[in-house]
C-alpha cells in the first residue's frame, strides 16, 4: 500500500512539473475601475520675451573642463521636476506633472517611490531630470535618497 501511494505521489509531481511553460509573457490588462497613473507629460513652451524664466542659480563649472557650460534650464512655474532631452543639438524641456497630492509629497520628500519612478521614466527615455530649483538629480542623488530611507534595491 505504501508503494502505491508513493508511486501515485511521484506521478502527480511529475505530471505537474512536466507541462510546457505558457508561450510569451502574460498579458496584463488594466482593470476597468483602476486609477490612472498620476502623471501628465506636456511639452513646455519657451517663455515669451516679456516673461522671465524662473530664477536659477548658476552652477560654477570646473576650471579643468574645456566643454562650454550648458545654459540653465527654465523650469516652468509649479512643476516639481522637468525632463530635459538633448537631441540633434536641440534641448527639449518637458515638465513632469504629478497629481496634486503626489506633487506635494515629492516637494517635501523627493526620496519617495512615486517620485523616483517618474524620474526613472525620464531617464529611460534618454532624458536628464532637474528639480524645481534648477539642480540636476543624478544617480548619485538617487543613491543618497536610498541611503536616507535605508532602501535596499534588488536587481535581476
Amino acid at each position: 500500500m505504501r508503494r502505491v501511494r508513493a508511486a501515485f505521489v511521484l506521478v502527480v509531481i511529475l505530471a505537474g512539473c512536466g507541462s510546457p511553460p505558457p508561450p510569451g509573457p502574460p498579458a496584463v490588462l488594466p482593470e476597468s475601475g483602476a486609477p490612472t497613473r498620476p502623471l501628465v507629460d506636456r511639452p513646455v513652451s519657451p517663455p515669451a520675451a516679456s516673461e522671465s524664466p524662473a530664477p536659477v542659480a548658476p552652477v560654477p563649472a570646473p576650471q579643468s573642463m574645456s566643454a562650454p557650460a550648458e545654459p540653465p534650464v527654465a523650469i516652468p512655474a509649479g512643476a516639481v521636476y522637468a525632463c530635459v532631452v538633448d537631441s540633434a543639438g536641440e534641448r527639449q524641456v518637458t515638465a513632469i506633472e504629478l497629481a496634486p497630492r503626489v506633487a506635494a509629497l515629492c516637494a517635501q520628500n523627493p526620496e519617495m517611490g512615486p517620485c523616483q519612478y517618474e524620474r526613472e521614466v525620464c531617464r529611460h527615455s534618454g532624458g536628464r531630470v532637474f528639480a524645481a530649483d534648477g539642480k540636476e538629480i543624478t544617480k548619485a542623488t538617487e543613491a543618497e535618497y536610498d541611503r536616507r530611507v535605508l532602501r535596499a534595491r534588488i536587481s535581476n
Side-chain angles (χ1 to χ4, degrees):
M1 186 72 174
R2 287 177 63 180
R3 286 185 179 176
V4 173
R5 270 193 205 165
F8 179 73
V9 170
L10 181 62
V11 169
V12 169
I13 290 174
L14 289 175
C17 295
S19 63
V28 178
L29 301 175
E31 296 178 17
S32 60
T36 59
R37 202 172 116 179
L39 169 75
V40 179
D41 286 334
R42 65 175 167 84
V44 177
S45 60
S50 63
E51 289 184 31
S52 63
V56 177
V59 178
Q63 299 295 336
S64 63
M65 198 161 92
S66 62
E70 294 183 8
V73 177
I75 309 290
V80 178
Y81 303 114
C83 183
V84 178
V85 179
D86 292 325
S87 61
E90 186 175 322
R91 177 179 272 190
Q92 180 181 6
V93 180
T94 304
I96 300 176
E97 292 187 10
L98 305 165
R101 292 179 68 188
V102 176
L105 174 76
C106 292
Q108 291 180 349
N109 303 301
E111 66 274 2
M112 299 302 286
C115 314
Q116 284 189 333
Y117 174 79
E118 297 303 338
R119 292 190 300 260
E120 284 301 318
V121 168
C122 172
R123 288 188 189 100
H124 284 297
S125 65
R128 294 169 35 206
V129 180
F130 286 85
D133 60 359
K135 294 181 183 175
E136 183 176 5
I137 300 177
T138 62
K139 294 299 262 180
T141 308
E142 297 285 357
E144 178 60 34
Y145 291 160
D146 287 344
R147 278 193 298 278
R148 186 183 306 173
V149 294
L150 300 174
R151 183 179 295 133
R153 298 280 183 191
I154 300 173
S155 59
N156 303 12

